[in-house]
Amino acid sequence: GAGVSQSPSNKVTEKGKDVELRCDPISGHTALYWYRQSLGQGLEFLIYFQGNSAPDKSGLPSDRFSAERTGGSVSTLTIQRTQQEDSAVYLCASSFRGGTSYEQYFGPGTRLTVT
Amino acid sequence: DAKTTQPNSMESNEEEPVHLPCNHSTISGTDYIHWYRQLPSQGPEYVIHGLTSNVNNRMASLAIAEDRKSSTLILHRATLRDAAVYYCILRDVGGQFYFGTGTSLTVIP
């Protein structure tokens, strides 16, 4: 079946511009996560959506970052006024909240480069 | 504050067992222990998870200390395809995952 997809796969933008990154989770998955991974680093949690509950935004690094999840499915991560330190791979994952696994299925990521 | 601590890197010879340690001394009674791995240029993938008892699946085994303050991921026979970064993660009751910095495993032919 279809996995998690993300678009674009690569994005180069100029400092100060806004960018939108899209995530299409696996159909039926109730939870959706956004992470950021800088070169050679581990995963940094950004935001977590679970069903109709208010999202956990505790990982967003600044108010330039925001995310929406429409209709409990597709999610968009928006970065306003991008800075060079925003350059990273942005990973999206979805999971079905059932049983004990909560296994996350990751997308291929969007590589963002801010010049 | 990091919830898990792992060695930055480890090496193993091909076809030998590998024991990847993880400390999680501040684990709460309801936190699950998950392991994911990330192959080069890919997103992380699930390996195994557990709560209190040791767990086995086709990929690996998970040994959890009696006090749950540490755990060990065991790869029974390392192959070159197992070279990856292995993340030890705590997952709370709300479904939030706390990734550590991971252990980069090198498998030597």
Side-chain angles (χ1 to χ4, degrees):
Chain A
V4 177
S5 61
Q6 293 186 244
S7 61
S9 55
N10 281 284
K11 177 70 176 179
V12 180
T13 190
E14 293 180 353
K15 177 181 174 182
K17 296 286 181 68
D18 298 350
V19 295
E20 286 189 351
L21 311 180
R22 177 187 170 103
C23 173
D24 283 86
I26 293 173
S27 178
H29 278 192
T30 55
L32 187 147
Y33 306 77
W34 281 98
Y35 297 91
R36 177 169 72 174
Q37 188 169 35
S38 301
L39 187 63
Q41 301 297 311
L43 272 70
E44 175 188 3
F45 163 74
L46 296 177
I47 189 168
Y48 163 45
F49 296 89
Q50 172 53 51
N52 295 321
S53 302
D56 178 349
K57 304 179 182 180
S58 60
L60 295 178
S62 77
D63 59 7
R64 297 186 294 106
F65 288 73
S66 63
E68 290 185 340
R69 188 178 186 192
T70 55
S73 180
V74 172
S75 178
T76 302
L77 177 69
T78 301
I79 309 173
Q80 296 179 312
R81 305 181 302 282
T82 53
Q83 304 294 314
Q84 288 186 331
E85 60 263 30
D86 299 335
S87 296
V89 175
Y90 289 80
L91 290 160
C92 172
S94 71
S95 71
F96 175 72
R97 185 170 177 172
T100 65
S101 172
Y102 287 59
E103 180 178 346
Q104 292 191 45
Y105 293 81
F106 282 81
T110 294
R111 181 175 298 278
L112 175 66
T113 303
V114 182
T115 61
Chain B
D1 291 340
K3 289 181 174 282
T4 63
T5 55
Q6 301 173 252
N8 287 333
S9 61
M10 292 184 65
E11 287 186 351
S12 174
N13 293 320
E14 193 177 11
E15 298 190 3
E16 290 188 358
V18 183
H19 290 234
L20 299 168
C22 180
N23 288 319
H24 29 79
S25 59
T26 61
I27 191 171
S28 74
T30 53
D31 286 343
Y32 278 79
I33 301 159
H34 287 243
W35 284 79
Y36 278 67
R37 72 179 186 181
Q38 187 172 23
L39 301 171
S41 301
Q42 295 187 27
E45 62 178 1
Y46 170 83
V47 177
I48 201 166
H49 80 286
L51 182 62
T52 57
S53 303
N54 295 343
V55 183
N56 300 295
N57 68 20
R58 64 175 179 81
M59 290 181 71
S61 295
L62 175 61
I64 300 173
E66 194 168 339
D67 64 3
R68 298 205 332 123
K69 294 183 183 299
S70 65
S71 62
T72 302
L73 179 71
I74 303 165
L75 307 179
H76 296 289
R77 287 179 68 245
T79 70
L80 297 179
R81 288 174 295 180
D82 291 324
V85 177
Y86 287 79
Y87 293 99
C88 170
I89 304 150
L90 298 185
R91 192 260 296 164
D92 67 19
V93 289
Q96 178 61 280
F97 283 72
Y98 298 93
F99 278 77
T101 55
T103 296
S104 179
L105 176 65
T106 300
V107 180
I108 302 168

